[in-house]
Amino acid sequence: MDLASPPRRVSPARADMVDDVGAAVVSTVSPKRPATAKPAAEVEAADAAGDVPTCTGGPQTKMVDQNRISVDHLRGTGGAQFEGKVAVLRGAREKNRLAKLLPCVFGERDFVSYGEVLRYVVIKGDSCFIFTEESDPSPLYAIPLHDKTAKREDPNNPEVTSLTISPTFKNIAKEDLETVLLKYRCSGKVAYQFTFNQRDGSNLADGFLGVVNSLSKSGGKVGDKTSSVVYAQVVAAEKGKYQPTDLNQS
């Protein structure tokens, strides 16, 4: 009987040693400087003076609402050509021929009290601005002066289309009140009347006459056009539409 051969002898398992590669080294990253942005080149603000009128009211030029202008803005840095308290009225309607021939039948001259029509008046450029009070933010209306002249009224021989302001005996104005008539240069008709109180001795009537007639001779041309003059002209063009109805339109 055949027997199986005994198994071969196997040597015990052995692991070879791995060469020492040394400790792992992690390289460090050099720190970077924080990113910096170069400042943008400085750009000057666009000059808007040609598009929107401005008015100098101190160390800096201020933008002004184009729909209104105060007395301070009209003064600007150079002041106004004229300003003061004045009684202002439109010229009265011209009477017909019969009323002129028979004044005793159709009544005497119309009149109004000085305080009732007292206003604050400023002339700037070639326009006259009418305010209720000096502190008002905007004028009631503006009167163009380039087509008008001024004339002192004779209280003893008044214009038929003017009114007597605060009359005394015989419907004549008080001695301390002086009226200047603003007339259309072409037709000679009364556009407005300005009555000045002479009690304070300021002689505003002469100042008003001088400024208006100077503008009339120059055709409304103004010397140096400062920012306040330019702005005054813009507002005057709009506020001229708010004038009282002209009963004797030229």
Side-chain angles (χ1 to χ4, degrees):
M1 177 177 163
D2 295 328
L3 297 174
S5 301
R8 288 179 61 188
R9 189 178 185 133
V10 179
S11 299
R14 185 179 62 181
D16 294 334
M17 296 296 293
V18 179
D19 295 337
D20 189 0
V21 296
V25 178
V26 179
S27 59
T28 59
V29 179
S30 299
K32 301 292 183 181
R33 292 181 181 178
T36 58
K38 292 183 179 180
E42 190 172 329
V43 180
E44 293 184 359
D47 183 5
D51 299 321
V52 180
T54 58
C55 185
T56 303
Q60 294 182 342
T61 299
K62 301 184 292 185
M63 202 67 70
V64 186
D65 183 354
Q66 291 193 31
N67 291 319
R68 64 189 199 176
I69 191 168
S70 67
V71 172
D72 281 340
H73 281 133
L74 284 171
R75 289 173 182 146
T77 55
Q81 290 127 287
F82 171 89
E83 64 174 282
K85 290 184 176 182
V86 190
V88 185
L89 276 172
R90 260 296 193 189
R93 186 184 299 278
E94 190 170 351
K95 295 180 179 180
N96 58 40
R97 184 172 299 178
L98 190 59
K100 292 178 182 178
L101 293 173
L102 300 171
C104 58
V105 176
F106 290 92
E108 297 180 342
R109 286 171 54 82
D110 293 328
F111 63 89
V112 65
S113 69
Y114 175 80
E116 186 179 345
V117 291
L118 188 62
R119 302 288 184 261
Y120 198 83
V121 175
V122 180
I123 296 179
K124 186 75 173 185
D126 60 352
S127 299
C128 181
F129 296 85
I130 310 300
F131 294 82
T132 302
E133 300 286 347
E134 183 180 357
S135 58
D136 288 352
S138 184
L140 296 170
Y141 56 93
I143 306 168
L145 298 175
H146 65 275
D147 62 341
K148 298 176 181 69
T149 60
K151 176 186 176 183
R152 201 185 309 267
E153 183 177 52
D154 181 356
N156 296 310
N157 186 28
E159 290 273 343
V160 294
T161 55
S162 69
L163 281 75
T164 302
I165 306 296
S166 295
T168 57
F169 182 65
K170 292 185 179 180
N171 203 15
I172 297 176
K174 295 179 180 178
E175 291 184 359
D176 54 9
L177 296 179
E178 187 171 11
T179 294
V180 172
L181 302 175
L182 194 62
K183 295 187 170 186
Y184 292 106
R185 191 167 50 189
C186 294
S187 68
K189 293 181 179 180
V190 176
Y192 288 90
Q193 66 179 76
F194 292 74
T195 299
F196 302 84
N197 192 330
Q198 304 297 311
R199 278 180 297 183
D200 59 2
S202 59
N203 205 12
L204 288 174
D206 285 347
F208 183 83
L209 276 163
V211 171
V212 174
N213 288 332
S214 175
L215 287 168
S216 179
K217 289 176 182 177
S218 66
K221 292 181 181 179
V222 183
D224 295 333
K225 284 197 174 184
T226 61
S227 59
S228 58
V229 170
V230 172
Y231 190 70
Q233 290 175 330
V234 173
V235 177
E238 179 63 26
K239 285 297 183 179
K241 302 173 185 176
Y242 294 88
Q243 296 179 78
T245 303
D246 187 357
L247 301 176
N248 299 298
Q249 195 163 8
S250 61

